[in-house]
Amino acid sequence: MLAFILRRLAQALVVMLSVAFIAFMLFQYVGDPVASMLGQDATPEQRVALRAELGLDKPFPVQFARFVGNALQGDFGLSLRQGRKVSALIAERLPATLELSIAAAVIALAVGIPLGVFAALKRGTFASQVAMTVSLLGVSLPTFLIGILLILLFAVTLKLLPSFGRGDTVSLGGWTTGFLTVDGWKHLILPAITLSVFQLALILRLVRAEMLEVLRTDYIKFARARGLPNRSVYFGHALKNTLVPVITITGLQLGALIAFAIITETVFQWPGMGLLFIQAVQFADVPVMAAYLCLVALIFVVVNLIVDLLYFAVDPRLRIEKPAGGH
Amino acid sequence: MNTTAIKAPGALARFFDGDVWHSFKSSPMAITAAVIAAVCVFCAIFANWVAPHNPFDLAAVNLSDSRLPPAWIEGGSRTYLLGTDDQGRDILSAIMYGARISLFVGVASVLVSMVVGVGLGLLSGFAGGKVDALIMRVCDVMLSFPSLLVALLIDGIGRAIFPNAHDTLAFGVLIVAISLTGWVQYARTVRGSTLVERNREYVQAARVIGVKPSRIMFKHVLPNVMGPVLVLATIHVAAAILTEATLSFLGVGVPPTSPSLGTLIRIGNDFLFSGEWWITIFPGAMLILIALSVNLLGDWLRDALNPRLR
Amino acid sequence: MSAPLLEVKNLRVEFPTRRGTLLALDDISFDIAPGEVLGVVGESGAGKSLTGAAIIGLLEPPGRIAGGEIRLAGQRIDNLAYEQMRAIRGRRIGAIFQDPLTSLNPLYTIGRQLTETILTHLPVSAEEARARAIRLLQETGIPAAEERLEQYPHQFSGGMRQRVVISLALAAEPELIVADEPTTALDVSIQAQIISLLKRLCKEHGAAVMLVTHDMGVIAETCDRVAVMYAGRICEIGPVHEVIHHSSHPYTTGLMGSIPAMDDTRERLLQIDGAMPRLNAIPQGCAFNPRCPKVMDRCRRDRPELSDAGRTHAACWLLAQEMAE
C-alpha cells in the first residue's frame, strides 16, 4: 500500500510540474513578464532593471526553477488588468467559489444518488422514465441557460430570490463565508442549483447504470437464492457494490464543478475565481490565467489522490496482502 | 448436417440489420427526436431560403421595429413571428442563422475529434509498447481536465497570440479548442477494440501473409469499431454544440459578426429584467431542442447497438 | 414408499420474444424423494438449468412458468407470491451455482455473508450464528475456519470458494439443494473432492439434491437416479446404473456410447449425427426424430410420453411397439 501511495504522489508531482511548465510558457512567451510584474506604467529604466533582477537573461532552466519557486510561495506577479497582486485577488475570491462548489456538490450527491437507485430498482415504471427524462434534460441544457431560466422564474417573475452577488457575508480570519447569514443563503440557492444540475444528471445516470449492472451479477442471484430479504439485497449487497465505482467518478467530477463554476459565476455575477478567470481570458491577462491554471490543477490532483485513497479503503480487493492458499 | 454457410456481412449491412431498424421504428421517442433534429438541421442549412428575413442585412433592418414581442402577444406583429431584438432584427431568422453557426462548429469539432481520436486509438492499440503507453498517459492527463477549461485556455492563448485575429482564424481556434476536449473518448474506445481485434486469428493470418498493418487496421478493425464510435459521436455533437454555446455566451466563442445561438442568448440576457424575455428565451429553446433531440438519438442508438439489451 | 419431497408435474416454461413465444421446457415431470440425489443431465440448452431456476422461483424475465405444478412436500410453490417464496428459498431449498468466484459478493467478508444467511432464516442470536458459521466452514474442510471468517472471497482459491458456497447453501438447513453445474468451473483435480464433499454433507444434513450437469462421470459417482433431458423434455429417467447400462431411449444410448471408458478399446468414439434443435425449430412429434437411428413414421407425428420400459422410464415409441409385439 505504501508503494501505491508513493507512486500516486510521484504521478501527482509530474502532473503539477507539467502544468507549471505550461503556465510558465504562458508567462514567458504569451504575456510580457516584465509588464505583468510592474504593471503598464513602468518606466524603461525600471523595466531594464527588473529584467536583470528577474534573471530574464539567464538560461531557461534557471528561469523555470525561479518560476516554480515563486509559484510555490503563491507569487504570480501582478494582474495586467487590475494591477494588483494575483495571489491577493485569488485569495479574495477563493472562498466564494469553494462554498458554491461544495453546496452544488452536496445537492448533486444528495439528490442524484437516491434518484439513481430509485430509477434502477423501479426500472420500466413511469416514475423511473420521468427520472431518466429529467436527467436527459439535465445534460442537454447548458448550465448558463439553466441559470437564466431560474433567474427568469424566481427573480424576475416571482421576485422570490435575488439574482446576483453573494449577499451579506461574514469574515472569519482570511475567509469570507455566506453560510452564516440568511441573506447569504438566499443568494446561494439559485447558483448552487444551477451548478449542480449537470452533475446531478450525470450521477443519476451513472448510479442507475451501475446498479443495473450489479443487479445482473451472480452474487445478487445467489443472495436471492439464499432467501435474503429485498432490503438486504438492494441496499446492502447491491448498493455497496454500486457505490464503489461511483465514488471514483464522482470525485473526478467534483473537480470539474470548480471549472463549471465559471459559467454559473458569470450568469449570477458571483464574485468567485471563475468570474475572475473569464475576465482574464477576455482581457488576455496572462498572470491571472497562469495562476488559476496552477491552482485548479492543484485542486484536481488533491481530489484525485483523496479519491484513490478512498477507493483503497472501500474495495478490499485492492489491499493485496497474503496470496490465496489451500484448496 | 444442418449447418448453414456463414456469409460475412458488410459493415453497412450489419448496421442496418433488422434489429436496429426495427428498434428505431418501434421507438416513438427515437422517431420524434430524429424528426425534430432533421427539421432543425434543415432550417439551419437552408436558412438563406427558409428564414423570413435576413437579420444581417443592415439595409433591411428597421430600427423602428425594435423590441417587438412575439406575434401572439399584444403589440406583436405577424411579420416578426417571434418578435425582434433591440436592433429590430427578426428573432426567428436570427435563430435559424444562429443554429447554422452552432451546428457548423459542433459538427466540425466532432469530426476533427473523431479523426484524431480514432487515428490515435488505432495507432495506440496496434503499435503497443511505448507508443501506446505515451498516448494513454496523455489521455489520462487530458481526461482529468474539464473540457470547458481546456477550451477556454486555448481560446485565451489564441486571443493573446493573435490579438487582431481574422474571423476564420477565430473559428479555427474555436474548433480546435472544442475538438481537443473530446478526442480522448474515441481514442480509448478504439484502442480497446483494436486490442481485442489484434489478437483475433484473421488479423494474425493477415500479418503472416504480409498484409501491411495499416491496411489491416483500416479494412478490418475499423468497421468493427464504428458502432460505439458513432454513438460517441452523436452524443458528442450535442456536447460540442453546448460547449460552443457556453463559450459564446461567455464572450469568448464565435466572433460577434457571426452570432451563434450562444451569442444570441448572451445579447438577450441583458433584456431579461426589462421584460423582453423573448430575445433570450427563443434562441435558448432552439438550443435545447437541438441538444435534446441529438442526445435522445444518441441514447437510443446506444441501446439499439448494445447486444446485451436486445 | 414415503411421500416425495419434490414433485414436478407437467412443467412448462416459455419465453415470449419479439419473434414469437419459445417453449423452453415442455411438459416436464419428475419426483425427488427425501435424501435422494437426482442427476439431471443433457447437452447445453436442453433446459437443465431452467428447471432448477423454475423450482427456486428465480426464472429470469421474460421467462415464465406457463403451466404445470411444482410441489414441495405436498405444498404448491410455483404460484406463490415473491415474499412467500423468499421464505422457502434458502430455508427449505438451497441453491449452488456454477462459478464460485462470481457467486460471492467481493466486498463482504464470508463471515458476514454466512451469518447474514443464518440470521435471516433461523431464530438464533448473533453469537450462535457465528458459531454455526464456523462449524459449517469446518465441515466443508476449510482449515483455520475462525480466521477465515474475516477474509474476503478473493483471498480463497477456487475450490475453497466452492466449499464456502456449499456451506452458504446448507447454512439454513434446507431439505433440498439445487446444484447447477457445481464443478464445471473447477480444476479437474478438485472436482472429485467437491463432489464427494457435497454428497457427504447432504447425506449428513439429510438434504436431497438435484444435481444438474453435463458430466456423466459426476452423475455416475454421485447420483441415485438420473433424468436425461433433450430439447426441453425428459427422454429417460431411472436409477443411475440402469440408465447407464440398460438405457432404452436411443438418445441415452448414444450419449452413453459416446463417452470413452478406460477399460474399453475402440477405434472411434460413437457420435450422434446432427445437433440439438434450437428452441424455435423443434421438430413435430419426438424432438429427437431427425437424428434417431431407429426412427419410425409415428415418431415424426406424435410426441411420446414417459412410459415404463422395465428398468427405466423412457419417452420413446419403440417401447409401445415392443409392448404391442
Side-chain angles (χ1 to χ4, degrees):
Chain A
M1 176 155 168
L2 193 61
F4 178 77
I5 297 185
L6 283 177
R7 214 177 11 195
R8 294 295 284 113
L9 276 175
Q11 273 180 347
L13 204 61
V14 168
V15 170
M16 285 308 298
L17 273 176
S18 339
V19 169
F21 185 71
I22 297 178
F24 174 65
M25 298 298 279
L26 273 181
F27 227 98
Q28 289 286 81
Y29 297 110
V30 178
D32 182 358
V34 175
S36 15
M37 298 227 95
L38 291 178
Q40 307 273 30
D41 307 324
T43 66
E45 295 84 26
Q46 284 175 314
R47 285 183 209 259
V48 167
L50 189 57
R51 281 197 90 83
E53 189 191 313
L54 284 181
L56 284 176
D57 37 1
K58 295 254 176 42
F60 188 87
V62 175
Q63 295 198 41
F64 184 48
R66 228 196 188 156
F67 175 79
V68 172
N70 283 339
L72 284 174
Q73 294 171 40
D75 182 6
F76 280 91
L78 300 174
S79 155
L80 288 177
R81 196 169 66 96
Q82 299 190 25
R84 298 171 54 201
K85 282 193 71 141
V86 171
S87 44
L89 276 174
I90 292 196
E92 246 173 43
R93 322 271 262 189
L94 187 62
T97 301
L98 279 185
E99 288 193 353
L100 179 61
S101 307
I102 293 176
V106 166
I107 296 178
L109 285 172
V111 177
I113 294 184
L115 273 184
V117 170
F118 172 77
L121 292 181
K122 300 275 179 201
R123 184 189 186 185
T125 63
F126 182 66
S128 91
Q129 295 272 49
V130 168
M132 289 309 290
T133 313
V134 167
S135 81
L136 191 63
L137 263 176
V139 295
S140 305
L141 285 173
T143 313
F144 68 91
L145 205 52
I146 297 175
I148 292 180
L149 287 173
L150 282 177
I151 290 181
L152 186 61
L153 182 60
F154 287 101
V156 178
T157 319
L158 295 178
K159 300 210 195 332
L160 269 180
L161 293 167
S163 69
F164 66 89
R166 258 181 108 187
D168 299 330
T169 56
V170 173
S171 271
L172 300 169
W175 190 275
T176 48
T177 175
F179 284 152
L180 293 178
T181 58
V182 172
D183 195 41
W185 279 104
K186 276 170 85 172
H187 278 87
L188 185 60
I189 295 181
L190 288 185
I193 295 181
T194 307
L195 186 55
S196 71
V197 168
F198 192 76
Q199 307 301 323
L200 203 160
L202 275 181
I203 292 178
L204 197 159
R205 306 182 116 220
L206 183 66
V207 167
R208 175 183 180 268
E210 274 303 314
M211 190 119 191
L212 284 178
E213 275 291 320
V214 165
L215 287 175
R216 262 204 289 254
T217 56
D218 277 348
Y219 56 84
I220 293 293
K221 189 163 82 157
F222 192 37
R224 273 204 246 261
R226 302 204 297 277
L228 296 181
N230 272 347
R231 196 182 8 103
S232 303
V233 173
Y234 291 146
F235 298 106
H237 290 260
L239 191 59
K240 187 160 184 196
N241 283 271
T242 305
L243 287 183
V244 169
V246 168
I247 290 180
T248 350
I249 307 202
T250 310
L252 299 175
Q253 293 288 61
L254 289 179
L257 260 184
I258 302 209
F260 271 90
I262 297 177
I263 310 170
T264 313
E265 289 179 15
T266 310
V267 172
F268 289 92
Q269 294 295 299
W270 187 266
M273 285 190 322
L275 192 55
L276 184 67
F277 183 65
I278 268 296
Q279 291 161 345
V281 170
Q282 283 167 333
F283 198 78
D285 190 347
V286 172
V288 174
M289 278 168 61
Y292 183 82
L293 187 62
C294 288
L295 182 60
V296 167
L298 182 66
I299 296 180
F300 277 175
V301 158
V302 167
V303 168
N304 277 11
L305 257 170
I306 296 182
V307 162
D308 274 340
L309 288 178
L310 258 181
Y311 214 172
F312 222 72
V314 168
D315 189 341
R317 286 170 289 188
L318 294 176
R319 310 176 217 150
I320 308 170
E321 293 142 1
K322 47 180 178 176
H327 42 227
Chain B
M1 295 281 282
N2 54 346
T3 48
T4 48
I6 301 169
K7 183 170 69 94
L12 213 60
R14 231 192 339 224
F15 185 75
F16 280 113
D17 182 60
D19 274 340
V20 172
W21 193 238
H22 184 109
S23 169
F24 182 74
K25 278 190 294 188
S26 56
S27 165
M29 223 175 215
I31 299 182
T32 323
V35 166
I36 295 181
V39 167
C40 292
V41 169
F42 182 79
C43 286
I45 297 182
F46 297 106
N48 287 349
W49 294 276
V50 176
H53 307 258
N54 184 345
F56 306 114
D57 182 2
L58 292 171
V61 166
N62 200 338
L63 237 128
S64 60
D65 286 333
S66 67
R67 302 187 186 221
L68 290 175
W72 60 86
I73 294 184
E74 166 141 7
S77 132
R78 294 211 114 200
T79 2
Y80 307 108
L81 264 178
L82 294 181
T84 59
D85 69 354
D86 64 318
Q87 308 266 319
R89 290 180 289 223
D90 176 37
I91 299 283
L92 180 58
S93 317
I95 292 181
M96 291 193 196
Y97 280 91
R100 177 199 279 182
I101 307 280
S102 298
L103 274 168
F104 169 66
V105 174
V107 171
S109 315
V110 169
L111 281 175
V112 173
S113 274
M114 204 157 65
V115 166
V116 170
V118 170
L120 280 178
L122 277 176
L123 180 65
S124 192
F126 228 72
K130 290 227 175 80
V131 173
D132 182 24
L134 177 67
I135 297 184
M136 281 299 111
R137 265 305 126 252
V138 174
C139 280
D140 282 340
V141 171
M142 289 226 68
L143 262 190
S144 48
F145 277 88
S147 44
L148 191 66
L149 214 53
V150 174
L152 272 171
L153 260 171
I154 296 183
D155 209 87
I157 296 176
R159 222 164 264 266
I161 298 182
F162 311 108
N164 303 308
H166 194 251
D167 270 0
T168 337
L169 194 59
F171 266 107
V173 169
L174 182 63
I175 293 179
V176 165
I178 300 181
S179 28
L180 264 168
T181 64
W183 67 270
V184 174
Q185 289 274 55
Y186 300 101
R188 281 197 154 178
T189 317
V190 169
R191 172 184 179 266
S193 301
T194 310
L195 283 177
V196 166
E197 296 292 318
R198 192 171 77 161
N199 293 326
R200 290 264 167 90
E201 282 161 356
Y202 71 89
V203 171
Q204 292 178 345
R207 277 180 134 160
V208 165
I209 299 178
V211 180
K212 277 205 300 225
S214 52
R215 201 172 135 81
I216 304 179
M217 280 200 294
F218 284 108
K219 196 157 189 288
H220 298 283
V221 176
L222 200 56
N224 283 321
V225 158
M226 283 322 276
V229 165
L230 256 132
V231 173
L232 268 177
T234 316
I235 300 184
H236 195 207
V237 165
I241 293 179
L242 290 180
T243 309
E244 180 275 317
T246 309
L247 288 174
S248 301
F249 175 78
L250 293 171
V252 293
V254 293
T257 49
S258 321
S260 72
L261 292 173
T263 325
L264 293 173
I265 298 176
R266 173 165 60 89
I267 297 175
N269 199 18
D270 296 333
F271 300 99
L272 214 54
F273 279 95
S274 42
E276 284 128 11
W277 51 269
W278 56 90
I279 309 182
T280 202
I281 291 299
F282 286 125
M286 182 70 155
L287 188 65
I288 297 177
L289 264 180
I290 297 180
L292 198 56
S293 53
V294 173
N295 264 336
L296 275 172
L297 268 177
D299 247 12
W300 161 81
L301 193 63
R302 188 191 332 121
D303 284 346
L305 287 179
N306 186 343
R308 275 193 290 181
L309 290 180
R310 283 195 211 161
Chain C
M1 205 170 81
S2 56
L5 174 65
L6 182 78
E7 297 164 82
V8 175
K9 291 195 181 116
N10 308 109
L11 181 65
R12 291 160 62 94
V13 167
E14 64 185 19
F15 279 82
T17 67
R18 207 173 56 218
R19 299 190 174 119
T21 302
L22 300 174
L23 198 54
L25 289 182
D26 191 353
D27 216 13
I28 304 271
S29 302
F30 62 90
D31 292 347
I32 303 184
E36 168 179 44
V37 181
L38 174 74
V40 178
V41 73
E43 298 172 48
S44 299
K48 326 184 285 292
S49 300
L50 271 179
T51 313
I55 291 174
I56 57 176
L58 285 182
L59 273 176
E60 297 263 332
R64 57 163 189 244
I65 298 181
E69 292 186 345
I70 305 177
R71 285 180 187 269
L72 184 67
Q75 178 203 2
R76 264 192 86 166
I77 60 173
D78 57 292
N79 58 355
L80 290 182
Y82 186 84
E83 272 303 303
Q84 292 169 308
M85 192 63 205
R86 182 179 78 72
I88 293 181
R89 258 183 255 136
R91 179 74 185 91
R92 301 183 63 195
I93 306 181
I96 296 175
F97 299 119
Q98 180 173 326
D99 190 347
L101 176 57
T102 57
S103 291
L104 296 171
N105 190 332
L107 299 184
Y108 279 15
T109 62
I110 59 159
R112 164 91 189 261
Q113 302 192 44
L114 270 167
T115 50
E116 188 184 28
T117 311
I118 296 172
L119 287 170
T120 304
H121 291 289
L122 301 175
V124 297
S125 66
E127 295 85 41
E128 170 68 14
R130 196 181 140 83
R132 279 178 181 249
I134 298 177
R135 260 201 317 271
L136 276 165
L137 286 182
Q138 286 167 338
E139 274 181 8
T140 56
I142 294 180
E146 192 155 354
E147 283 122 51
R148 289 295 202 169
L149 276 188
E150 307 307 322
Q151 290 188 341
Y152 292 90
H154 68 274
Q155 291 169 286
F156 289 71
S157 68
M160 293 250 274
R161 275 186 222 123
Q162 197 62 311
R163 290 171 197 256
V164 171
V165 167
I166 292 175
S167 49
L168 271 167
L170 288 169
E173 309 277 332
E175 301 153 51
L176 169 68
I177 298 262
V178 174
D180 192 347
E181 311 259 14
T183 52
T184 308
L186 301 172
D187 287 338
V188 171
S189 51
I190 315 274
Q191 282 182 11
Q193 289 180 19
I194 298 295
I195 272 297
S196 68
L197 173 73
L198 183 64
K199 179 160 186 172
R200 177 173 60 84
L201 278 184
C202 289
K203 198 157 180 180
E204 282 170 18
H205 285 255
V209 182
M210 179 177 137
L211 181 59
V212 171
T213 179
H214 62 266
D215 188 340
M216 274 313 295
V218 167
I219 298 277
E221 279 287 313
T222 339
C223 302
D224 303 318
R225 289 161 62 223
V226 61
V228 179
M229 286 189 69
Y230 185 79
R233 305 161 184 192
I234 297 184
C235 58
E236 186 150 12
I237 182 170
V240 148
H241 185 85
E242 306 296 347
V243 170
I244 293 182
H245 295 287
H246 302 284
S247 52
S248 303
H249 197 286
Y251 177 65
T252 319
T253 320
L255 208 57
M256 300 304 145
S258 62
I259 298 169
M262 283 290 284
D263 53 351
D264 205 355
T265 36
R266 264 191 264 180
E267 289 289 312
R268 313 177 102 219
L269 286 175
L270 274 172
Q271 211 186 12
I272 313 176
D273 271 346
M276 198 171 67
R278 291 168 40 172
L279 280 183
N280 55 358
I282 296 188
Q284 194 185 355
C286 170
F288 189 57
N289 77 61
R291 307 166 71 189
C292 184
K294 300 189 184 158
V295 62
M296 305 179 293
D297 272 334
R298 188 162 188 201
C299 306
R300 299 196 183 96
R301 274 192 331 260
D302 308 320
R303 185 193 153 168
E305 299 291 325
L306 272 178
S307 46
D308 196 343
R311 298 173 189 260
T312 64
H313 283 71
C316 185
W317 290 125
L318 287 171
L319 296 172
Q321 201 182 40
E322 279 164 23
M323 299 277 215
E325 282 162 4

